[in-house]
Amino acid sequence: MTGVQTCALPIFDDHAVVRAGYKRFIELDSALKVVAEAGNGEEAYALLDAVRIDVIIMDLSMPGQGGFETLRRMMNRVPEQKILIFSMHENASIAKQALQLGASGYLTKSMEPDLIVQAIHEVMTGATPIASSVADALRELDDSRPPHLELLPREFEIFIRLANGESIEHISESLHLSPKTAANYQASIRRKLSLNSTLELYQYAREHGLTSK
């Protein structure tokens, strides 16, 4: 950035209080301006063409099509878009999937707000900021290579949704998939992870810290 130009940021999070709080803090930095907000993936995706955007701050846990699908669609639409994931999940597997989909960094909601502002500036210079609570775990994950790392991005998102109690019917509707396609993904996930039931899927996800409960 040069001169008086500001970094234009939308905040995508399904909690209005979270958006308002971080908007106030971010805009204490005169170089940063929150230009839009959205509470679900569909609204977030629509804003790509509506406003000038430099860096997106986006939660993964959003209603509707969800954060992973929104991230995937945004990166397919604008491959050079800088997107900072801002999540309650401090799980390395979730962070890795987001980064593989094209996210420019991974922050957690437990971070101090000033570190989030610092991360925005780092992304603008081409860096990939990652929360310290996640960075070490990412290195350990790469060393251990658990089976779920072999899932494709769409498979991983469906796996997380199944593990957190969503029915295959609800998943197919929210991700705009036919029931048959969603069921095929479920079968592929179970095969790759050697799981024979919904209970085993849940137990696997819980053992790896991939459930929200």
Side-chain angles (χ1 to χ4, degrees):
M1 294 180 295
T2 59
V4 296
Q5 183 181 3
T6 58
C7 173
L9 302 123
I11 299 177
F12 302 151
D13 189 289
D14 63 333
H15 293 98
V17 172
V18 171
R19 298 197 305 268
Y22 280 95
K23 179 179 187 292
R24 284 195 296 269
F25 195 91
I26 286 169
E27 290 189 340
L28 291 175
D29 186 323
S30 61
L32 307 178
K33 176 67 175 176
V34 175
V35 296
E37 300 179 29
N40 62 58
E42 289 83 356
E43 291 176 358
Y45 184 75
L47 283 169
L48 275 182
D49 293 328
V51 293
R52 180 178 73 86
I53 295 173
D54 294 310
V55 178
I56 291 171
I57 299 176
M58 185 174 77
D59 189 11
L60 287 174
S61 301
M62 291 191 292
Q65 67 184 13
F68 280 112
E69 175 64 4
T70 302
L71 173 60
R72 184 190 68 79
R73 291 182 67 202
M74 285 181 171
M75 296 312 301
N76 283 346
R77 179 81 170 272
V78 188
E80 68 277 11
Q81 179 64 60
K82 297 180 184 299
I83 301 177
L84 265 174
I85 297 301
F86 177 52
S87 176
M88 63 176 286
H89 299 292
E90 300 192 14
N91 183 280
S93 296
I94 292 175
K96 187 173 183 64
Q97 286 291 336
L99 294 167
Q100 287 181 163
L101 281 170
S104 300
Y106 192 92
L107 314 180
T108 65
K109 293 183 178 181
S110 64
M111 292 173 64
E112 293 294 326
D114 59 329
L115 293 179
I116 293 171
V117 171
Q118 177 182 323
I120 293 169
H121 286 286
E122 290 175 358
V123 164
M124 288 299 291
T125 66
T128 305
I130 298 173
S132 59
S133 60
V134 175
D136 290 341
L138 273 172
R139 288 187 284 272
E140 293 174 5
L141 186 71
D142 286 334
D143 291 338
S144 62
R145 297 297 302 178
H148 61 265
L149 288 190
E150 304 308 317
L151 296 176
L152 299 173
R154 177 54 67 89
E155 291 173 336
F156 184 81
E157 178 162 22
I158 292 174
F159 167 54
I160 295 296
R161 286 171 176 253
L162 289 168
N164 284 288
E166 289 190 41
S167 68
I168 200 68
E169 293 79 12
H170 183 266
I171 291 170
S172 67
E173 181 179 351
S174 62
L175 294 182
H176 309 296
L177 301 171
S178 71
K180 181 178 179 180
T181 298
N184 287 341
Y185 275 121
Q186 182 183 43
S188 177
I189 291 162
R190 287 186 177 181
R191 183 176 65 255
K192 288 183 177 182
L193 302 185
S194 300
L195 304 173
N196 298 311
S197 67
T198 299
L199 177 60
E200 287 186 8
L201 187 149
Y202 173 76
Q203 290 173 333
Y204 179 99
R206 190 171 184 182
E207 287 171 5
H208 291 86
L210 294 168
T211 62
S212 59
K213 302 175 182 179

